[in-house]
Amino acid sequence: MRIEAPPPVVWQVMTEVEAWPEWTASVRSIVRLDPGPLHVGQRLRISQPRLPTTVWRLTELSEKSEFVWTAGGPGARTTARHRVEPDGTGSRVTLTLTQRGPLGVLVGKLTNGLTRRYLEMESGGLKKRSEERAAREPG
C-alpha cells in the first residue's frame, strides 16, 4: 500500500504500538511487557476483537524499515511482518501475517477472512494516521 507520507513519519506511527487502538479497530490494546523502545526479544501483549489475547515476541528489527513479531507454541507459529520503504515522495508499506505448523495452518484457514479484514483495517488506519501527521509536520 502506498502512503503519502515520508518513511520516517510512517515508521514513527507504526512503532508507537500502544497507540494502535486509536487508529485501527482491529486492536483493542498493546502493552509492552518489557520496557523500552522496540527491541529484539521484547514481549508485547496484544488484545484483538474475536481473538484470544496473545503475547508476541519481537524477533526482527531493521531500524526505521521493518519489524517482525511472532506468537505461538508447539504446532502453531504466527508471524506478522511490518515493512516501510521509500516510494517517491511517500512510502510503500507491506503488512503480512503467516501461519506455520500443523495447528497454525488449520487456524490460518479458519481465520483467513478475519485476518484479511484486520490487515485491511491496519493498513487503512496506518495510512490515514501517517498522512494526517505528515500534513501537520513541516517537511
Side-chain angles (χ1 to χ4, degrees):
M1 169 193 49
R2 178 148 169 57
I3 297 178
E4 294 297 330
V9 171
V10 178
W11 180 256
Q12 182 180 28
V13 171
M14 197 163 51
T15 58
E16 292 170 348
V17 295
E18 293 90 349
W20 283 28
E22 297 172 10
W23 51 262
T24 180
S26 66
V27 175
R28 283 191 187 126
S29 68
I30 298 179
V31 176
R32 293 176 202 239
L33 300 178
D34 302 305
L38 290 183
H39 60 273
V40 171
Q42 187 174 44
R43 296 167 304 134
L44 303 105
R45 185 175 49 241
I46 301 177
S47 175
Q48 296 182 272
R50 301 184 60 199
L51 294 171
T53 297
T54 303
V55 174
W56 294 74
R57 183 176 300 276
L58 197 71
T59 57
E60 296 176 40
L61 177 64
S62 297
E63 191 60 34
K64 303 203 186 302
S65 66
E66 181 176 45
F67 70 89
V68 178
W69 50 36
T70 61
R77 171 79 46 206
T78 303
T79 301
R81 185 172 299 273
H82 312 77
R83 181 168 183 74
V84 60
E85 44 197 340
D87 186 11
T89 58
S91 302
R92 171 114 357 238
V93 170
T94 307
L95 305 176
T96 60
L97 189 127
T98 56
Q99 303 274 359
R100 301 273 190 250
L103 293 175
V105 171
L106 178 61
V107 168
K109 287 180 181 180
L110 293 173
T111 61
N112 186 44
L114 182 64
T115 297
R116 283 186 196 187
R117 282 192 303 278
Y118 281 6
L119 287 172
E120 287 172 8
M121 285 180 193
E122 290 167 21
S123 295
L126 178 63
K127 177 178 176 64
K128 184 174 189 274
R129 175 64 66 100
S130 297
E131 289 176 351
E132 287 171 350
R133 187 172 289 178
R136 284 193 318 266
E137 294 179 0

